[in-house]
Structures are given as structure tokens and as C-alpha cells.
Amino acid sequence: MISRILIAESSKANFVDLSVPAWSWFALLGFICLLLAIDILVIHRKAHDVGPREALIESVAWISVGLAFTGVIAFAF
């Protein structure tokens, strides 16, 4: 039993070797900062009570951004 586990762990055939360049990490962080800046400086310039409709719209927008990012990663790899 233990020999099977050791053989399975030593085999790299079931794993993907991902090497992510440094520029892509900086691009991702820059994109996140850009989205946060737009959210804070453009969309939420003034403090106000958030209603259910506005909360639903913003939730759908942010979830769509997350799913789009997932789609880009899935397409790239």
C-alpha cells in the first residue's frame, strides 16, 4: 500500500508544470488595482444607502468579472 503511494507521488505524469512569468503577476495586480480605483473613484464617489437593486447589479458585475477572468485562465491553459 505504501509503495503504491510513493510511486504515485514520485510520478509527475499527472501534474501540470506551470511557469508564470513575472510580468503577468504585475499585470494582474495592476488590473485589480485599476478595477478597485474605478469602483471607488467613479462608481462610489458619494456615500449613500445601497438598495437591493443596486446591490444585485453590482454583485452580478463583480461575479461576471471573476468568471471572465476564470475563462481567460481556462483558455490560456
Side-chain angles (χ1 to χ4, degrees):
M1 172 86 177
I2 293 184
S3 64
R4 288 183 190 171
I5 293 172
L6 292 176
I7 290 171
E9 288 181 4
S10 66
S11 173
K12 298 284 185 175
N14 294 330
F15 295 102
V16 176
D17 184 26
L18 295 177
S19 59
V20 181
W23 67 266
S24 63
W25 289 109
F26 290 116
L28 175 64
L29 291 175
F31 183 66
I32 290 171
C33 289
L34 175 70
L35 288 177
L36 288 173
I38 290 171
D39 186 37
I40 292 170
L41 299 174
V42 176
I43 298 172
H44 294 112
R45 285 178 285 178
K46 298 178 184 177
H48 66 283
D49 290 334
V50 178
R53 185 173 192 270
E54 183 181 359
L56 178 66
I57 291 170
E58 288 187 25
S59 295
V60 167
W62 286 113
I63 290 170
S64 298
V65 168
L67 289 174
F69 176 75
T70 303
V72 168
I73 297 300
F75 180 75
F77 292 105

